[in-house]
Amino acid sequence: MLDLILIYTALAFFAAGMIYKASAWFRFSPSVDAAEYPPRKRVVSALRGIILTVLSPKVFTLLKVFLLDVVLQRRIFVRSPLGWFVHMSIFLGFMVLLFMHALSKYVASAFVSEYYSTINPFFFLRDLFGVLVLVGVVAALVRRFTRKGLVPGANVMDVYALVILAVIMLSGVILEGAKMTSHSVFSDMVDEYMVGGDDEEMQALESYWVAEFGLVSPDIKAPAGKEVLARGREAHEMSCAQCHASNRSAFAGYAFAKTAGPVAAPALDAAATRAALYYVHLLACLIGLAYLPFSKMFHVFSVPICLMANAVMKKGKSDPANMATRLMVELDACTHCGSCTRACSVATVFLEFENDNILPSERMAVIRDFATGKALDAESMLILQQGIHVCTDCGKCAEACTSGIDLTNLWSEVRETLLQRAVPEYALLTPLSLQRALARQSMDEERYAKPIEIAEAAVLAGWDRESLENKARVIVLGNGGMSDSMRQKLKHISSAGCYRCKTCSNSCPVVRNYPDAGAMLGLLPHQMMHAIGLGLWDMVFSSKMLWNCLGCSQCQECCPQCIRIADVFCELRNEAIALAGVSHAGDGGHSPGKDVES
Amino acid sequence: MKLAAFPCCFTFKGLASYEAASREVLKALGVDLVEEPDFKCCGYPLKNYRFKAFVLSSARNLALAHSKSMDMVTMCSCCYGNLKHAEHALAEDPAMKEEINAALGREGLHYRDGVRVSHFLDVLYESMGVDGIAGRIVRPLKGLRVAVHYGCHLLRPKDVVQFDNPFAPTKLDRLVEATGAESVSWSAKLDCCGSPMMGINDELSMDLTGKKLASARRAGADCICVVCPYCYQQFTRVQDMIVARRNPGFELPTILFQQLLGLALGIDESALCIEPNLLPAVIPSAA
């Protein structure tokens, strides 16, 4: 009765959790167009999409992906055969135990007319798969905690998932072993199943179980003689063998019985102990079930859906409402396995920015919080915005993703959504914005241009004399990280002998592009050099020239005095971005993880 | 010494044809490059943002190559120029080098100079020579007038990249001429393709690209030949944008040097990922 109440409570929690989680797929989306697709429309689109796909030849693609990627987990194998072995151990072991053991009443019994957990192969298989899961769990923990390089180790959710599995398996094995040693269980069984038999025969049976089945008997201390055992065996075959394969088949439980039995038999024999063990086992399973939708284990549902959806969906072709929904499924399908970060082309610079949102595996959870409307503080939002923009869109993360998430698409969607907040993003002033530009046809013109204007305005702002004095800003050249010698060169530009021959400006393809270059660009390169020499930083940093420099080094190559003009410009841009970060700190626009004296 | 191919982020997914064509040509010429899956971005896009992050990115690759006793060959001119630039900056600033090594230590790496970074044009130029290549041409591209585009990071700053004369380079021209084609002289040849401004000031970027295209066309070129993926993207996808938005009245085909050479070496055009409509522009007889 109590068990039933517990089971139904857990099921109710599980069902409610599942509905809640799945509803989030339709209620939220990190897509910049999410507002255009209200939940009702998205549910209808999803149903329509599913029905149309299932009725089309694409159903074969779905089947193939289900078999190869969901069941056989090809994507994990390709990344790491060892990782595949570990995951397969857990996956396969758990699935078999679920159907053969936990749901035996409904599943195993349906296939086997007289199903008893204590006959082979079930008796053996239960332990085999339990041990397999345990081996997998331990290996997974070891792998997570011994990772080299930049890939972060396990987070709380990863550990929870592994620990709950370990508790389920260990409590099961221990309970099984405890029952094997238990004299009261034995006596109950004898009372129930012993066919005929006198005291002597019973004694023999007990001796036989002590010798062969790990039973610990308070009465039998010395090993029995051959003859007694032979009689015990006969009795066993008469009354018990039809339901009992050798306890040795259940090798894990048997091993426990043989080790713990001699020392702990009385305690294990206490009904309370076995009840406690039983409830630890049952509750671990039920907690795992009830909490599943909110734990990482939810991936057992989200990953297959993600893999199959992504196999048949394509941006630009599929219903955009479904694309918005898919992003949510994808966020739930992340297992924090770290493959993306291992493959990431720019992960290295995490060491310089110290922003863990640069690592793709670490920003997934933050994006999920952002997408589902959790209130993130300004700092977290900035860290996310900066992290997600430090990305070359190389696509290696998406290729590596074992859940088949289209990460490249996810990043670009989230970036556009974040940019709508109008907090300046300085990465837009670097070649990191190239892919965005190449995709601009698919974007609203205004939406495309605005964030660039905001970023440019932010680096150019605040350089008039008045606000300079008000803010009492001190120029701290060199914070962009350029070399000491470079810093020296900057300071000595005038003494380096720039005689303003204008060769730099004349050779500049940008200057040449405008009939009225001064009006378009502010200071031209030679004027920049002059202003730097005079320390007129307000003029230098408020010049658009700085942000329209290609870095092509024509000026530098042509300079008769060998001044490294292009390098100077590069330094100045670094500086301007660092300084803009500081001045925007108040309105939440600074670049995190960077100290600049001001 | 093993030669490791250094991959460009930009081509991995965005320009698969670039990687395929490069691989085909190197294979045909018997240049043996090893793949190093752990190479990462050279850091180029971060140069104007956080210079040290850029140097760190390059330094990591150089350190990795050093630890595996490999020399590096890049296809992309940007990767080439920027790896060189980082080397230069590290040599110039011991303090920064120390900081960067402290960071690299977290990945068990350490930067030392000594890894040779070359551009694959140099590998062809030095190991095979122009004559050696000319000797292998089976399908001479006679009559094809090519506007050769080097790309900034291959040429400038000269003291850093040390590839060719930055004012009058000849290496790529001679390699192109080895295929039987003619390298035309055009006024905008050494100018930037405009790519660095794409995404920041698209109008300026398109202005510059448009000017180069017009200059090449005035010089009577049948096509522009590029080596760098950024330049290639600029002359293809951005040219499409220019055509759509500005109606310049002409389109100039763009071919990768790898594809051009591959064709002349007799490699199948589909293996080189040459689009069918590009072929007649390059091989008049194929029309």
Side-chain angles (χ1 to χ4, degrees):
Chain A
M1 188 59 199
L2 175 61
D3 291 10
L4 276 184
I5 293 173
L6 288 175
I7 290 170
Y8 281 114
T9 314
L11 274 173
F13 271 102
F14 170 73
M18 291 296 284
I19 291 168
Y20 176 78
K21 286 287 288 205
S23 76
W25 294 349
F26 301 100
R27 285 183 293 135
F28 303 107
S29 177
S31 163
V32 68
D33 303 316
E36 288 173 38
Y37 309 107
R40 182 194 294 270
K41 191 166 169 186
R42 277 162 63 185
V43 173
V44 174
S45 290
L47 290 175
R48 221 178 79 96
I50 293 170
I51 293 170
L52 288 180
T53 309
V54 170
L55 294 179
S56 77
K58 282 188 188 157
V59 72
F60 295 107
T61 313
L62 288 182
L63 283 175
K64 190 176 121 196
V65 167
F66 182 79
L67 198 71
L68 290 177
D69 291 330
V70 177
V71 178
L72 297 177
Q73 298 163 10
R74 173 178 58 171
R75 292 185 72 92
I76 305 181
F77 187 80
V78 173
R79 295 316 296 176
S80 151
L82 181 64
W84 179 86
F85 178 77
V86 170
H87 189 255
M88 255 306 176
S89 304
I90 301 176
F91 168 75
L92 187 73
F94 191 85
M95 282 312 194
V96 173
L97 288 175
L98 178 67
F99 291 115
M100 186 189 83
H101 171 62
L103 301 178
S104 59
K105 240 192 240 165
Y106 313 98
V107 183
S109 316
F111 292 99
V112 186
S113 55
E114 297 247 317
Y115 170 82
Y116 294 109
S117 61
T118 44
I119 52 175
N120 276 329
F122 313 112
F123 206 28
F124 166 68
L125 289 181
R126 189 170 70 182
D127 275 40
L128 178 71
F129 288 110
V131 168
L132 201 62
V133 173
L134 271 175
V135 168
V137 165
V138 171
L141 277 171
V142 169
R143 274 165 61 83
R144 289 240 176 210
F145 283 106
T146 56
R147 275 176 177 173
K148 282 198 287 285
L150 298 174
V151 187
N155 63 21
V156 183
M157 272 303 182
D158 302 331
V159 175
Y160 161 79
L162 292 172
V163 165
I164 195 95
L165 280 172
V167 170
I168 293 174
M169 299 304 147
L170 276 176
S171 59
V173 170
I174 294 174
L175 175 62
E176 182 186 54
K179 280 194 205 159
M180 288 182 189
T181 63
S182 166
H183 192 257
S184 5
V185 175
F186 174 82
S187 307
D188 292 348
M189 277 274 158
V190 170
D191 290 347
E192 187 146 345
Y193 296 114
M194 185 88 176
V195 188
D198 48 21
D199 274 1
E200 206 181 325
E201 212 178 332
M202 264 195 304
Q203 203 59 33
L205 179 68
E206 194 165 328
S207 302
Y208 179 72
W209 273 69
V210 168
E212 293 295 322
F213 281 67
L215 175 70
V216 179
S217 160
D219 316 320
I220 301 171
K221 297 277 183 263
K226 258 194 183 156
E227 220 171 288
V228 180
L229 286 181
R231 258 192 293 128
R233 185 195 174 96
E234 238 169 70
H236 170 76
E237 267 157 23
M238 270 284 289
S239 313
C240 322
Q242 69 268 36
C243 298
H244 277 282
S246 164
N247 271 356
R248 288 169 210 242
S249 327
F251 57 95
Y254 186 71
F256 178 81
K258 289 309 265 186
T259 1
V263 282
L268 294 175
D269 193 31
T273 311
R274 271 177 287 114
L277 282 170
Y278 171 75
Y279 280 107
V280 169
H281 188 61
L282 180 71
L283 282 174
C285 293
L286 294 183
I287 290 171
L289 177 71
Y291 193 57
L292 183 144
F294 302 97
S295 75
K296 196 177 130 170
M297 279 305 176
F298 187 58
H299 82 273
V300 299
F301 296 100
S302 53
V303 172
I305 296 175
C306 176
L307 282 165
M308 296 203 285
N310 288 10
V312 292
M313 287 173 75
K314 213 174 154 141
K315 192 175 185 166
K317 290 223 170 99
S318 302
D319 185 340
N322 285 339
M323 292 301 289
T325 306
R326 192 182 88 174
L327 292 170
M328 286 306 293
V329 179
E330 291 183 319
L331 288 173
D332 274 335
C334 172
T335 61
H336 195 243
C337 73
S339 293
C340 49
T341 292
R342 212 168 292 124
C344 175
S345 283
V346 294
T348 318
V349 304
F350 158 71
L351 296 172
E352 167 61 21
F353 287 85
E354 291 294 351
N355 170 350
D356 66 357
N357 279 208
I358 286 178
L359 307 176
S361 59
E362 303 315 290
R363 64 174 171 251
M364 285 301 274
V366 187
I367 295 177
R368 190 164 198 290
D369 285 349
F370 169 60
T372 51
K374 287 223 178 78
L376 291 174
D377 57 46
E379 182 75 13
S380 309
M381 290 299 288
L382 273 173
I383 289 174
L384 175 61
Q385 179 172 315
Q386 184 196 50
I388 200 169
H389 275 91
V390 176
C391 165
T392 59
D393 288 301
C394 69
K396 288 191 180 160
C397 52
E399 192 204 46
C401 179
T402 50
S403 302
I405 304 172
D406 184 355
L407 291 166
T408 322
N409 173 56
L410 179 68
W411 309 144
S412 70
E413 289 278 354
V414 175
R415 269 183 226 136
E416 292 309 321
T417 309
L418 287 169
L419 290 176
Q420 297 301 303
R421 299 158 55 241
V423 174
E425 176 48 55
Y426 307 113
L428 293 180
L429 304 175
T430 75
L432 290 172
S433 62
L434 174 59
Q435 296 289 359
R436 182 170 185 264
L438 292 175
R440 67 178 283 186
Q441 289 103 316
S442 61
M443 232 187 276
D444 176 71
E445 290 277 316
E446 162 93 8
R447 187 187 275 170
Y448 170 73
K450 199 90 198 143
I452 306 173
E453 284 161 23
I454 291 172
E456 199 183 46
V459 285
L460 290 173
W463 288 102
D464 53 295
R465 294 252 141 199
E466 204 179 318
S467 41
L468 265 182
E469 273 152 29
N470 287 344
K471 289 183 186 170
R473 287 213 296 206
V474 184
I475 310 301
V476 278
L477 284 167
N479 263 296
M482 202 173 258
S483 63
D484 274 335
S485 59
M486 194 60 238
R487 226 161 290 163
Q488 292 305 323
K489 285 196 182 79
L490 269 176
K491 289 201 179 116
H492 295 296
I493 281 175
S494 49
S495 57
C498 167
Y499 48 82
R500 291 173 284 289
C501 64
K502 295 194 195 168
T503 305
C504 48
S505 298
N506 290 335
S507 65
C508 175
V510 175
V511 173
R512 276 186 275 132
N513 187 54
Y514 298 111
D516 191 5
M520 290 299 290
L521 301 167
L523 300 188
L524 304 186
H526 72 284
Q527 295 166 323
M528 286 284 250
M529 294 301 113
H530 193 34
I532 294 167
L534 294 173
L536 300 171
W537 299 112
D538 54 330
M539 294 182 75
V540 171
F541 284 107
S542 58
S543 251
K544 277 194 160 187
M545 184 70 232
L546 209 49
W547 304 101
N548 287 290
C549 163
L550 297 155
C552 72
S553 300
Q554 291 254 41
C555 50
Q556 181 162 331
E557 205 61 62
C558 293
C559 177
Q561 294 299 89
C562 301
I563 297 173
R564 286 159 60 173
I565 307 168
D567 289 356
V568 169
F569 270 68
C570 174
E571 165 76 342
L572 291 172
R573 282 188 294 262
N574 269 274
E575 200 56 44
I577 289 176
L579 288 170
V582 177
S583 74
H584 280 272
D587 50 279
H590 82 119
S591 42
K594 171 93 177 151
D595 296 320
V596 180
E597 304 157 44
S598 62
Chain B
M1 190 62 103
K2 278 181 290 185
L3 282 182
F6 184 74
C8 173
C9 295
F10 204 39
T11 59
F12 177 73
K13 183 168 147 252
L15 211 51
S17 56
Y18 186 92
E19 299 211 344
S22 305
R23 212 167 292 130
E24 285 296 325
V25 168
L26 291 169
K27 197 172 76 188
L29 292 173
V31 180
D32 215 5
L33 296 187
V34 295
E35 306 268 335
E36 168 48 58
D38 202 23
F39 276 144
K40 294 188 185 293
C41 177
C42 69
Y44 159 64
L46 289 165
K47 205 172 182 174
N48 291 329
Y49 185 0
R50 192 76 72 87
F51 188 78
K52 217 172 112 195
F54 145 63
V55 180
L56 172 72
S57 305
S58 274
R60 184 190 176 278
N61 293 308
L62 292 161
L64 183 72
H66 197 284
S67 74
K68 299 196 170 178
S69 306
M70 300 186 295
D71 279 338
M72 290 155 77
V73 179
T74 77
M75 315 282 149
C76 167
S77 308
C78 274
C79 297
Y80 173 78
N82 285 290
L83 286 166
K84 290 275 190 189
H85 193 166
E87 266 182 340
H88 200 260
L90 285 161
E92 212 174 37
D93 189 345
M96 178 169 66
K97 184 161 123 181
E98 212 165 284
E99 283 170 35
I100 282 185
N101 266 331
L104 289 179
R106 282 172 62 179
E107 282 201 85
L109 290 168
H110 189 87
Y111 171 80
R112 289 175 196 83
D113 56 2
V115 171
R116 208 183 117 108
V117 177
S118 19
H119 193 274
F120 93 105
L121 288 181
D122 247 343
V123 175
L124 300 189
Y125 204 80
E126 276 167 22
S127 69
M128 237 156 286
V130 174
D131 295 337
I133 301 231
R136 293 177 184 238
I137 301 302
V138 298
R139 179 153 61 163
L141 304 173
K142 277 271 170 285
L144 181 68
R145 293 166 59 80
V146 179
V148 171
H149 170 80
Y150 281 79
C152 300
H153 293 287
L154 207 46
L155 298 175
R156 295 181 293 261
K158 156 104 194 314
D159 53 337
V160 172
V161 298
Q162 298 180 324
F163 177 79
D164 205 339
N165 180 337
F167 298 109
T170 56
K171 281 186 178 171
L172 183 56
D173 296 81
R174 295 191 59 201
L175 286 168
V176 164
E177 292 193 324
T179 68
E182 177 196 347
S183 163
V184 301
S185 100
W186 53 309
S187 61
K189 180 172 178 174
L190 301 180
D191 282 352
C192 173
C193 65
S195 168
M197 275 302 120
M198 201 62 200
I200 305 169
N201 183 346
D202 295 3
E203 293 306 315
L204 173 58
S205 177
M206 287 190 268
D207 286 351
L208 299 172
T209 311
K211 281 188 175 170
K212 286 207 69 142
L213 289 164
S215 162
R217 185 177 157 87
R218 271 199 308 277
D222 298 317
C223 63
I224 286 194
C225 173
V226 301
V227 277
C228 169
Y230 285 90
C231 307
Y232 180 76
Q233 204 72 289
Q234 199 70 14
F235 290 125
T236 51
R237 284 176 72 181
V238 176
Q239 180 174 192
D240 289 345
M241 253 185 234
I242 294 174
V243 169
R245 288 165 177 261
R246 300 184 168 187
N247 190 20
F250 70 93
E251 273 180 72
L252 201 59
T254 306
I255 188 161
L256 276 171
F257 171 68
Q258 289 90 318
Q259 295 173 323
L260 190 82
L261 180 57
L263 277 178
L265 290 170
I267 301 172
D268 184 59
E269 50 267 14
S270 60
L272 295 165
C273 301
I274 294 181
E275 292 186 13
N277 54 356
L278 175 61
L279 199 60
V282 186
I283 304 182
S285 60

